[in-house]
Amino acid sequence: MELDFERCYRAVDSRDQRFDGWFYTGVTSTGIYCRPSCPASTPKRQNVRFFPSSAAAQRAGLRACRRCRPDASPGSPQWDVRADVVGRAMRLIADGVVDRDGVPGLAARLGYTERHLHRMLRAELGAGPLALARAQRAQTARTLIETTELGLAEVAFAAGFGSVRQFNDTVREVYGASPSQLRTARRAAVGGAGTVTLRLAYRPPLHAAALLDFFARRTLPGVDEVRDGTYRRGLRLPHGTGEAALTPAAGYVAATLRLTDLRDLAPAVARCRRLFDLDADPVAVDQTLGADPALAPAVAAEPGVRVPRAADGFEMAVRAIATQQVSLTSARTTLTHLLASIPPPSPVDHEVSEGFGDQTSRQLHDQRGEDGGGGLRGFVGAEEVLRVADAGFRMPVGRRETIRAVARAVADGRLDLDPGGDREETARQLTAIPGIGPWTAGYLAMRALGDPDVFLATDLAVRRGADALGLPDNPKTLDAYASRWRPWRSYAVIRLWRAA
């Protein structure tokens, strides 16, 4: 990725927070790298290098600044919205695919050879998949060191390191301090065994009320809830289950995560960031939408409206299909009955993972029982839905069979509804399933896959919102009008829903 020196240097000189996560500033005279908004004195031009990723800065021998903590900056909005291989790879790495399946597993998910994938990532990000995963591993380790009482050896393996020595060497190299020194100097609160409390950074503004209102209208008993300004939900994670409590605050979202297996910290954080669309660039979105006189008053009144995303692609598919041609209230009743027909899994079945942390996992289970955790569970998986009898659906036969067809495709690995999936291929596969049309495929592209440029012209609420704003409500005319909102039409959909 080409980084214009003058533009980057001006952003650093003005300490512009909008550029945090877009690039990283390396200072050769001090041997550290920072986020653009670092409050330290602006370095001299001859001592500055700019990097497209923290991993690239680390490969150049620089350590993370202890003042601005660049490893905790918002994620790059470029990789968040791009649908190409590099964007998909970044989302999969953030979800921990390299830690679980290695580079071969990542390459297989993307459909490229390891060599070609490495070449593409090096060209765009200045670092290969192992270096990118290593940078994330180091950040996960730091979070665990500062927010839990786990022993450092347990932290090492929970963060994904292959050995304690590798863990110690990486932490010293990235942060310029040993793990024990980081723990001594920690500033975050400790929430108890199995509980991690951290701050999820975002680029302001963030219209938190719009997010909480959206989720509140769609909560399902036992899965998620909105209460006292906090969104809580259960999570299905690669190594077990978890719960997340997300509370928007000024400049960050406070996240409390309860995990049955701490190896799931990075995937849990990635899902939480997706849910609240925290890697978006709201200034760029609002500038485009606000240029339209019809939307300008709404943008000025409510800056920073995000697209509420999904923690689980299959969950979003079931929700979307159940909502076809019925109200949200009816869909919630149907989905509540479906979930009630599936018994919850035994926590211990998920907590004890082969070859890692049996004792620690049981301790986490004991702690969750003591502190009242475990009240929410993640949405059911595809295999569980396939075992539900006809009576468990309480919906028209066609809709029931559509859900089953999606479940079979996901369970067989033929359909990828995660953010790392190929958007065009996923849309093609979805629309080939009887009962799924352009609206459902578009809705999933927007909320599950994170496509920023989806417009649902036939959606009744979108048309009502358009009418409320004095826009044409005929789907064909409205779709043509919406072209002026590219590439942020998904955000326009949310604003039209709010107008309705």
Side-chain angles (χ1 to χ4, degrees):
M1 182 175 65
E2 292 295 328
L3 295 174
D4 181 83
F5 185 93
E6 287 302 322
R7 185 186 184 204
C8 292
Y9 193 80
R10 285 197 300 271
V12 171
D13 193 38
S14 62
R15 295 170 179 78
D16 195 331
Q17 294 183 357
R18 292 176 300 170
F19 290 90
D20 286 353
W22 276 102
F23 65 89
Y24 297 84
T25 307
V27 185
T28 56
S29 58
T30 60
I32 66 172
Y33 71 95
C34 306
R35 59 170 86 189
S37 64
C38 182
S41 300
T42 303
K44 296 180 179 179
R45 288 172 174 267
Q46 61 267 30
N47 296 332
V48 172
R49 291 180 61 193
F50 296 113
F51 299 91
S53 68
S54 59
Q58 292 169 19
R59 287 188 72 252
L62 304 176
R63 66 169 178 82
C65 174
R66 297 179 190 174
R67 189 171 180 182
C68 70
R69 300 184 61 150
D71 53 316
S73 64
S76 170
Q78 181 177 26
W79 314 126
D80 182 51
V81 301
R82 276 176 54 166
D84 63 359
V85 176
V86 176
R88 293 168 56 204
M90 288 296 289
R91 291 190 283 276
L92 289 171
I93 291 171
D95 203 51
V97 168
V98 172
D99 290 335
R100 296 192 299 274
D101 304 325
V103 177
L106 175 65
R109 288 281 296 271
L110 296 169
Y112 286 83
T113 65
E114 294 178 51
R115 182 178 179 181
H116 188 53
L117 176 62
H118 188 275
R119 185 163 54 244
M120 287 189 291
L121 292 176
R122 281 291 301 273
E124 292 267 10
L125 292 155
L130 283 177
L132 292 164
R134 176 178 176 269
Q136 176 176 281
R137 214 173 289 134
Q139 181 185 354
T140 300
R142 181 171 188 163
T143 301
L144 291 172
I145 289 169
E146 295 182 342
T147 64
T148 74
E149 295 290 358
L150 284 179
L152 294 179
E154 292 174 303
V155 168
F157 292 108
F161 289 96
S163 68
V164 174
R165 180 177 179 178
Q166 183 188 59
F167 161 69
N168 288 330
D169 291 345
T170 298
V171 170
R172 285 196 187 94
E173 181 180 342
V174 173
Y175 298 113
S178 67
S180 58
Q181 288 172 323
L182 288 180
R183 174 154 282 178
T184 301
R186 66 184 175 182
R187 293 171 290 179
V190 176
T195 300
V196 180
T197 302
L198 65 158
R199 294 182 173 189
L200 305 180
Y202 62 79
R203 292 172 190 81
L206 172 72
H207 199 289
L211 281 168
L212 295 177
D213 179 64
F214 186 94
F215 286 120
R217 294 171 182 270
R218 294 161 175 81
T219 55
L220 294 174
V223 174
D224 56 350
E225 65 179 15
V226 175
R227 179 163 43 90
D228 301 327
T230 297
Y231 177 59
R232 297 175 175 84
R233 70 155 297 133
L235 298 171
R236 289 170 56 91
L237 298 164
H239 297 105
T241 59
E243 295 176 25
L246 305 175
T247 307
Y252 65 91
V253 171
T256 300
L257 305 176
R258 299 176 182 274
L259 306 173
T260 58
D261 193 320
L262 288 173
R263 289 178 296 177
D264 284 327
L265 177 59
V269 169
R271 283 159 170 73
C272 291
R273 296 196 66 84
R274 288 202 301 266
L275 275 167
F276 275 21
D277 196 20
L278 295 184
D279 293 328
D281 185 348
V283 174
V285 175
D286 287 354
Q287 282 178 344
T288 299
L289 300 185
D292 183 347
L295 287 183
V299 172
E302 296 184 339
V305 169
R306 311 288 174 116
V307 175
R309 300 268 296 279
D312 182 297
F314 175 70
E315 171 188 348
M316 192 49 54
V318 175
R319 285 177 179 257
I321 296 167
T323 310
Q324 291 174 350
Q325 300 177 347
V326 298
S327 67
L328 285 176
T329 302
S330 296
R332 288 174 69 182
T333 302
T334 299
L335 290 170
T336 299
H337 179 78
L338 174 64
L339 293 173
S341 67
I342 303 174
S346 170
V348 177
D349 291 344
H350 294 283
E351 286 162 2
V352 181
S353 303
E354 182 178 354
F356 171 81
D358 290 0
Q359 182 177 358
T360 300
S361 294
R362 292 188 187 280
Q363 289 172 348
L364 300 189
H365 171 59
D366 295 339
Q367 175 70 23
R368 285 162 62 85
E370 293 169 4
D371 62 19
L376 299 174
R377 59 167 174 160
F379 198 85
V380 294
E383 295 84 356
E384 294 166 297
V385 167
L386 289 173
R387 292 195 292 267
V388 177
D390 291 352
F393 285 89
R394 283 193 181 175
M395 61 180 67
V397 174
R399 207 169 300 158
R400 178 190 72 204
E401 293 309 312
T402 298
I403 290 177
R404 282 176 170 164
V406 171
R408 281 193 293 271
V410 170
D412 294 344
R414 292 180 286 113
L415 180 61
D416 186 356
L417 294 174
D418 293 325
D422 185 312
R423 291 172 185 167
E424 292 186 2
E425 177 62 17
T426 300
R428 186 191 66 77
Q429 292 182 337
L430 282 170
T431 52
I433 297 174
I436 293 185
W439 181 90
T440 305
Y443 186 83
L444 289 175
M446 181 175 73
R447 295 200 59 200
L449 303 181
D451 190 337
D453 198 32
V454 172
F455 192 68
L456 306 175
T458 61
D459 184 89
L460 182 59
V462 166
R463 294 168 59 191
R464 286 176 177 167
D467 183 63
L469 296 178
L471 297 171
D473 62 356
N474 175 274
K476 187 174 181 179
T477 307
L478 180 59
D479 191 50
Y481 184 92
S483 61
R484 69 189 63 193
W485 299 330
R486 288 182 178 273
W488 309 115
R489 291 182 300 168
S490 296
Y491 294 84
V493 167
I494 301 300
R495 289 195 175 276
L496 292 175
W497 278 344
R498 289 186 64 75

